[in-house]
Amino acid sequence: MEVGLIGLGRMGANMAIRLRRGGHRVIVYNRTVAKAHELATEHDLIAADSLADLVAMLTPPRVVWLMLPAGAATDEHLATLIPLLTPGDIVVDGANNNYKASIAHAEQLTAHGLRFLDAGVSGGIWGLQVGYCLMIGGDEETFRFVEPLLQTLAPPEGYLLCGPHGAGHFVKMIHNGIEYGMMQAYAEGFEILRQSRYDFDLAKISHLWNQGSVVRSWLLELAERAFTADADLSGIRGYVEDSGEGRWTVQESIDLDVPAPIITLSLQMRFRSRQEDSFSAKVLAALRQQFGGHAVKKAE
């Protein structure tokens, strides 16, 4: 097949390379045009200097895959693309967009005779090597048309039409919410190990747990890599961002009256990581001192 891929960040660039290695004709565009040309030169891709240029290089029905930040960047590119495309063309949104925005995008494109798929993409920087897990929302016919691309991007059995428009990004949202909870559990467990009376080698513990234990996972493999490189993680600060999907998962649980205490608390702990010194923790310490006479640590 041929595909136009827009957005050459950490995942988009690697996806373009994997698609080309799979034999597809790949036209790439990036807001920083020089990056598209550099990548094209290195990996036998075709660089476009503008969105209009990219569209002109594709044969109808075109497939245009967006790997852009969710929100304004995706909205702006869609607004520019719509008048350039012709009825029957397909737009795939691989951003971590809110599923409600994806439903709106589907309606927007359908009104112009265009087809749309929302694609939840998981795999991070390792996707080039091991493939991407793809969670797709849309109609069966459009899904089947782009399936050769999905087969190249994903590992065996690594892609699925999850449901109608919005379903792909909904599944990816919940995937990321679960990821928050798993990461938080590992983080707390390793901190207890580190603070214990024993001098544990956390890299070796990580490796051990991946040999048949109930908690084995790819995240543990990554933990082993991190601890091997820096046993105390002294080179990094414990500041953790959230991409938005954890928040959306928590909000969805509220809207659906579904209890999700683990995911909710893991999101809250990410907020806590961004504080140099939590005022709420100061209040807790002050209250304990007031009612029980408990000692407090003086601020430096």
Side-chain angles (χ1 to χ4, degrees):
M1 290 189 69
E2 65 175 18
V3 60
L5 199 147
I6 299 170
L8 302 176
R10 289 189 300 271
M11 290 182 71
N14 282 343
M15 288 172 68
I17 295 168
R18 186 173 173 95
L19 285 167
R20 183 67 194 114
R21 289 178 180 175
H24 302 283
R25 179 173 181 261
V26 185
I27 301 162
V28 294
Y29 170 76
N30 196 69
R31 192 167 271 176
T32 305
V33 176
K35 186 172 184 178
H37 281 276
E38 180 181 349
L39 192 73
T41 300
E42 293 177 0
H43 298 283
D44 191 29
L45 309 171
I46 302 168
D49 292 329
S50 66
L51 291 179
D53 191 21
L54 178 139
V55 170
M57 291 181 184
L58 293 168
T59 305
R62 304 172 181 89
V63 179
V64 179
W65 192 307
L66 278 63
M67 288 301 297
L68 298 164
T74 297
D75 293 344
E76 290 168 8
H77 281 74
L78 282 176
T80 303
L81 276 171
I82 286 174
L84 299 174
L85 298 172
T86 55
D89 289 349
I90 298 168
V91 175
V92 183
D93 179 15
N96 279 334
N97 245 322
N98 188 291
Y99 78 98
K100 295 177 182 177
S102 297
I103 293 172
H105 288 154
E107 293 172 350
Q108 179 185 14
L109 269 69
T110 299
H112 291 84
L114 304 171
R115 294 181 281 172
F116 178 76
L117 295 173
D118 48 281
V121 183
S122 181
I125 59 175
W126 292 85
L128 175 60
Q129 177 182 340
V130 302
Y132 300 88
C133 179
L134 302 171
M135 297 147 263
I136 310 298
D139 66 272
E140 178 87 18
E141 182 181 355
T142 306
F143 172 78
R144 293 302 174 195
F145 187 88
V146 305
E147 193 167 16
L149 300 174
L150 307 180
Q151 290 172 335
T152 298
L153 287 170
E157 302 181 21
Y159 67 91
L160 179 70
L161 178 61
C162 299
H165 294 127
H169 281 156
F170 190 95
V171 172
K172 179 57 161 58
M173 174 182 72
I174 302 305
H175 163 284
N176 281 28
I178 293 170
E179 178 186 296
Y180 276 45
M182 292 174 65
M183 291 174 65
Q184 184 64 30
Y186 282 135
E188 292 173 10
F190 281 119
E191 182 165 13
I192 295 170
L193 287 171
R194 186 172 182 273
Q195 297 298 331
S196 75
R197 70 183 68 186
Y198 303 105
D199 184 20
F200 288 118
D201 185 323
L202 299 185
K204 290 182 178 179
I205 297 293
S206 305
H207 182 79
L208 171 68
W209 282 348
N210 259 333
Q211 313 313 309
S213 90
V214 173
V215 298
R216 64 187 182 274
S217 75
W218 184 50
L219 286 174
L220 265 182
E221 293 178 25
L222 298 179
E224 180 185 349
R225 285 175 54 89
F227 290 132
T228 299
D230 184 354
D232 294 322
L233 304 182
S234 57
I236 62 175
R237 180 182 162 204
Y239 184 100
V240 188
E241 289 284 7
D242 67 287
S243 64
E245 298 208 63
R247 297 182 187 222
W248 300 338
T249 300
V250 171
Q251 185 59 57
E252 198 67 26
S253 75
I254 294 169
D255 293 344
L256 295 174
D257 295 331
V258 175
I262 303 302
I263 296 173
T264 302
L265 185 56
S266 67
L267 174 64
Q268 296 293 329
M269 290 303 293
R270 293 195 177 197
F271 299 158
R272 175 63 183 90
S273 77
R274 300 167 203 169
Q275 296 177 297
E276 292 291 342
D277 191 9
S278 167
F279 184 75
S280 63
K282 292 176 182 284
V283 174
L284 291 175
L287 290 174
R288 291 181 77 248
Q289 182 187 42
Q290 292 297 321
F291 71 69
H294 300 287
V296 295
K297 295 183 179 296
K298 298 296 184 182
E300 294 182 2

